[in-house]
Amino acid sequence: MSEITLNTAVSGVPEAPSRTAPVRTTGAVAWARQNLFGSWWSTAVTLALAYLIVRWTIGFVEWAFLNAIWEVPVVNGQAQTQACREIKGIGACWAVITEKHRFILFGTYPFEEHWRPALVCLLFVGLYVVSAMRRFWNWTLVPIWAVTLTLIGVLMWGGVFGLSYVPQERWGGLPITLILSTFGLAFAFPLAILVALGRRSKLPAIKMLCVLYVELIRGVPLISLLFMASVMFPLFLPEGMNIDKLLRAQVAITLFAGAYLAEVVRGGLQALSRGQYEAADALGLSYWQKTGLIILPQALRMVIPPLVNTFIGFFKDTSLVLIIGIFDLLTAGKTAIVEPAWQGFGIEVYITVGVIYLVFCFAMSRYSQDLERDLNRHRRR
Amino acid sequence: MGESVLTAHVASAVKADAPPAIVLDGVNKWFGALHVLRDINLQVAAGERVVVCGPSGSGKSTMIRCINRLEQHQEGRIVVDGIELTDDLRSLDAIRREVGMVFQSFNLFPHLTVLDNCTLAPIWVRRMPKKEAEERARGFLNLMRIPEQAEKYPGQLSGGQQQRVAIARALCMQPKIMLFDEPTSALDPEMIKEVLDTMVMLAEMGMTMVCVTHEMGFARQVADRVVFMDRGEIVESGEPEAIFNNPQTDRLKLFLSQILRGH
């Protein structure tokens, strides 16, 4: 250090005092003047948009809350929806949700047993929360998942511990959506990692198999895959043997998600410099050590945004199972308004179902942002 | 602590009747149609320090990368510490355990702390207990004069510090041979010295070293032998004084005039 100061003194150049960065004018008024009312044109646009936003907000609040009907009388098991029909377009008829929420959430599951799928949904949420905590990211997650999933199976099917048996055909609503997406992604993700690694393998057979899998599955719409799983697959089975319809849909979704996720993971693998592989090789790490300790931790961190993008996409894509007659959340919502009394109240139901999807997707999205920030600490200086 | 461990370790490697550390015997390699290594014959004795120099594209990096099979040679024999390099994975593992490598671009693992960079291979490859591996790593970081950086991530260090971490990481595996592939070429001038100083220290402890470098001062100071390569061939080799003061071939004369002009 002393040498450096000596040098500057000798050369006769006084050290410039370091200054703090200039203070920017801030505050809401200054900001608005600069960005919203900077010119006549900008002022005009601001006012026009403000008018539209305020009008729309007031209109929505009036429709959704002030003029809304929350309950309708039920006579002889028939909902009397005349009041709702009279205010159609002026006020929302949330009575359809009040009346039908249990059907939307749990489908045709026996009414008096609804506590079981409700508990299943809570178990799923609990499982997500626990899995999201990084302090559980070790082997303890395996028994936690195994126990929770067994519990979920017991609750849904029943037939033991005094629970009545409920066949899979009667399951429906939110549990179906959660089952399909949780199992789908939980199996698809490891599969995707293996396929992505396989696609970069030096062994031609493995590489070929992985390329074939990705290209075949990715080149086909999910709907046709679901059809194949539900209609064609049983034709190949010996007579009398029948695999659960939900399981077949589950396999189709898993395979489909796996192909997409594999390409996302491969993108991360390709972004890593060759030097990382060489350094790991030079230290004598085996292939799996290198992959598990050096390559994947870096590659997966890099692809968190597209990974979560795909996760969110598949969470919503599970609603496509409606075409093979499985009652997921969206299908249950649609079915709820088939009844003549409630026909025409689709907006309310779709908003509600949309909000449920939004809650799950937004949670995933926020979590991924936090995760990305935490895991990429090393990139900050 | 690191120093004593290292010297004891190195001393055991250098015995009078020890087999040559590295033997390259008629090694040939092609990249496609390009003949990048032509009949390379080179022996490095245990404890010997060899500096490899030559113009860019002369095959010097490829040659030392063949020694731990980051590149695969197509003809000839490579024997490292008495183990022949074959397609057998066990011989490759055995060789990589004995050979440390330092790269031009450091190649530290950016998602691991400096300490974890150093302990990873000893823990997973040598099955060393974590405590012991950390103790050893701190010893070598100390030797490299960067003990205070152990908890940082590589991205937070200067180039010179990163390269010294890379040297410490390689030393933690207690290699018998160290390969340096242009270790100072990616560094700012003021950082070159700090890395070269640590390499001189290693050389003085008796480590078997093969360095690809353009640092002729370093070559003069520590090399037992300088090997000059051009167009995939070993053109000349000998003691540094002979090579630098009395070049025999036109190619070496040309090369020396070019690098000396640069300095």
Side-chain angles (χ1 to χ4, degrees), chain A residues 78-241:
Chain A
Q78 278 291 318
Q80 307 301 306
T81 54
Q82 289 87 345
C84 274
R85 296 200 182 279
E86 277 158 24
I87 60 150
K88 207 158 181 341
I90 304 164
C93 178
W94 298 118
V96 63
I97 307 300
T98 317
E99 194 65 17
K100 290 285 185 186
H101 69 277
R102 288 179 65 168
F103 184 82
I104 295 170
L105 284 176
F106 307 125
T108 50
Y109 208 86
F111 193 80
E112 57 285 358
E113 302 286 340
H114 272 181
W115 62 273
R116 280 156 59 179
L119 194 56
V120 163
C121 291
L122 287 179
L123 278 173
F124 267 122
V125 172
L127 190 61
Y128 301 152
V129 171
V130 169
S131 309
M133 288 188 214
R134 290 184 57 203
R135 94 179 93 115
F136 289 107
W137 284 13
N138 47 47
W139 289 108
T140 50
L141 265 188
V142 176
I144 290 176
W145 271 70
V147 167
T148 314
L149 296 184
T150 315
L151 218 57
I152 283 168
V154 167
L155 280 168
M156 289 303 284
W157 264 299
V160 281
F161 308 126
L163 297 171
S164 60
Y165 174 70
V166 179
Q168 184 265 304
E169 287 74 26
R170 297 202 59 184
W171 301 5
L174 188 57
I176 289 280
T177 297
L178 294 181
I179 287 171
L180 283 175
S181 42
T182 308
F183 281 84
L185 293 173
F187 285 110
F189 190 43
L191 174 72
I193 291 174
L194 288 180
V195 170
L197 291 172
R199 231 185 135 153
R200 292 166 61 86
S201 165
K202 284 192 198 106
L203 307 171
I206 289 181
K207 186 174 176 169
M208 186 95 128
L209 200 69
C210 293
V211 172
L212 211 65
Y213 162 72
V214 169
E215 297 303 333
L216 274 184
I217 299 279
R218 210 167 46 151
V220 178
L222 177 54
I223 291 189
S224 68
L225 212 60
L226 285 171
F227 262 129
M228 269 195 269
S230 101
V231 183
M232 282 172 57
F233 185 64
L235 299 180
F236 300 120
L237 286 180
E239 198 148 343
M241 187 176 164

Side-chain angles (χ1 to χ4, degrees), chain B residues 5-31:
Chain B
V5 166
L6 183 71
T7 34
H9 169 67
V10 168
S12 71
V14 186
K15 285 182 199 140
D17 58 342
I22 304 168
V23 179
L24 302 181
D25 186 10
V27 172
N28 277 282
K29 175 167 179 64
W30 291 261
F31 284 133

Side-chain angles (χ1 to χ4, degrees), chain B residues 149-213:
Chain B
Q149 312 291 356
E151 319 302 331
K152 289 193 187 164
Y153 287 98
Q156 298 167 311
L157 306 186
S158 74
Q161 290 170 328
Q162 288 192 49
Q163 194 59 297
R164 284 183 285 157
V165 172
I167 296 173
R169 176 176 73 176
L171 290 176
C172 282
M173 280 296 281
Q174 296 193 289
K176 292 184 180 152
I177 301 160
M178 284 283 283
L179 306 176
F180 293 83
D181 187 3
E182 305 204 26
T184 57
S185 300
L187 296 175
D188 290 339
E190 76 245 49
M191 293 172 182
I192 290 179
K193 188 174 176 298
E194 63 185 47
V195 170
L196 286 180
D197 283 348
T198 58
M199 289 168 63
V200 170
M201 184 170 63
L202 273 186
E204 282 164 358
M205 290 174 184
M207 175 64 81
T208 309
M209 294 164 74
V210 180
C211 311
V212 172
T213 180

Side-chain angles (χ1 to χ4, degrees), chain A residues 273-276 278-285 289 293-294 297-298 301 377-378 380-381, chain B residues 65 68 70 96 99 101 103 107-111 120-121 124-125 127 153 155-156 169 173:
Chain A
S273 77
R274 212 166 61 123
Q276 292 292 309
E278 288 180 350
D281 282 340
L283 284 171
L285 295 175
Q289 288 170 343
L293 298 168
I294 307 298
Q298 293 187 66
R301 278 165 214 220
R377 253 181 339 209
H378 65 273
R380 287 208 303 269
R381 284 197 151 249
Chain B
R65 287 159 60 86
N68 63 354
L70 292 183
R96 282 180 172 165
V99 178
M101 185 150 195
F103 299 87
N107 294 346
L108 293 176
F109 305 128
H111 62 301
L120 183 97
W124 288 89
V125 180
R127 305 273 162 209
Y153 287 98
Q156 298 167 311
R169 176 176 73 176
M173 280 296 281

Side-chain angles (χ1 to χ4, degrees), chain B residues 29-31 34-38 57-59 62 229 231-233:
Chain B
K29 175 167 179 64
W30 291 261
F31 284 133
L34 192 66
H35 199 171
V36 287
L37 292 181
R38 302 165 187 241
S58 59
T62 309
M229 285 182 74
R231 278 172 252 160
E233 292 173 303

